Amino acid sequence: MMSNSFVNTHAGDETGDRTKRFFVLGERIERRLRIRGNWLNIFDITVPSGSRTPRHAHASPEVFRILEGRLTIWRLTDSGPEEIEAGAGDIVSIAPFMVHGYANRGTVPAVFSAIIGRDMAQFIEAEGATEPPKASPSPETIARMTAAANAYGITILAA
């Protein structure tokens, strides 16, 4: 029988920080776990209906677990492009340097947990707003975020 003694029921990191909330291009991103000095970070991401993340790539792998709603995940595999319709309970992995993106084509928000690398977590925490946006991102905001992403080793291919 496996012990659950390792389970941390309090959101945050090993220093006791509580959940921190960020907004990146309209998505609400909540840090659930950060282990300093390690690659492991867990964020819950809420994707509003009609929202999407542009196709991008980065050195770290990612794992998505859909919690609510549906998410269309696009990724470029060695066999060519593939589109995955993922729903609650589905798990999708993204390999290092794999071009990928996602969209919520549904009528309700989609929520998923993402296990992400240090560079992606630092980008979210440095560039994310602390208040929700009042409007859709402007072309200037998208250009600024694309440039900022590059500084963290994230290549945005199509915004």
Side-chain angles (χ1 to χ4, degrees):
M1 186 162 138
M2 183 155 85
S3 167
N4 67 355
S5 61
F6 66 91
V7 173
N8 177 2
T9 59
H10 303 286
D13 62 20
E14 75 280 3
T15 65
D17 288 348
R18 292 286 182 231
T19 298
K20 292 199 176 180
R21 183 173 293 148
F22 307 92
F23 296 87
V24 177
L25 298 178
E27 295 180 358
R28 184 178 73 212
I29 303 173
E30 297 174 286
R31 184 181 72 211
R32 297 298 182 190
L33 175 73
R34 176 180 57 199
I35 301 177
R36 295 184 201 278
N38 197 317
W39 71 272
L40 181 63
N41 297 273
I42 301 174
F43 286 81
D44 284 352
I45 301 170
T46 301
V47 184
S49 175
S51 184
R52 67 178 183 84
T53 291
R55 293 178 182 175
H56 62 282
H58 39 77
S60 63
E62 290 181 295
V63 177
F64 300 160
R65 182 170 186 266
I66 312 305
L67 302 174
E68 299 173 23
R70 299 198 59 76
L71 203 60
T72 302
I73 301 168
W74 183 91
R75 61 186 184 180
L76 184 58
T77 69
D78 292 339
S79 304
E82 76 177 2
E83 196 169 278
I84 301 163
E85 291 294 330
D90 289 340
I91 298 172
V92 178
S93 64
I94 308 295
F97 301 106
M98 178 181 281
V99 176
H100 63 286
Y102 54 81
N104 178 356
R105 296 178 180 160
T107 59
V108 297
V111 180
F112 69 99
S113 282
I115 300 172
I116 62 175
R118 180 178 30 240
D119 289 345
M120 181 67 77
Q122 289 173 340
F123 166 71
I124 291 167
E125 293 180 358
E127 301 300 329
T130 57
E131 297 294 325
K134 303 213 183 315
S136 296
S138 68
E140 294 80 16
T141 298
I142 293 171
R144 182 182 60 75
M145 292 301 278
T146 298
N150 287 332
Y152 291 90
I154 304 160
T155 303
I156 307 282
L157 301 174

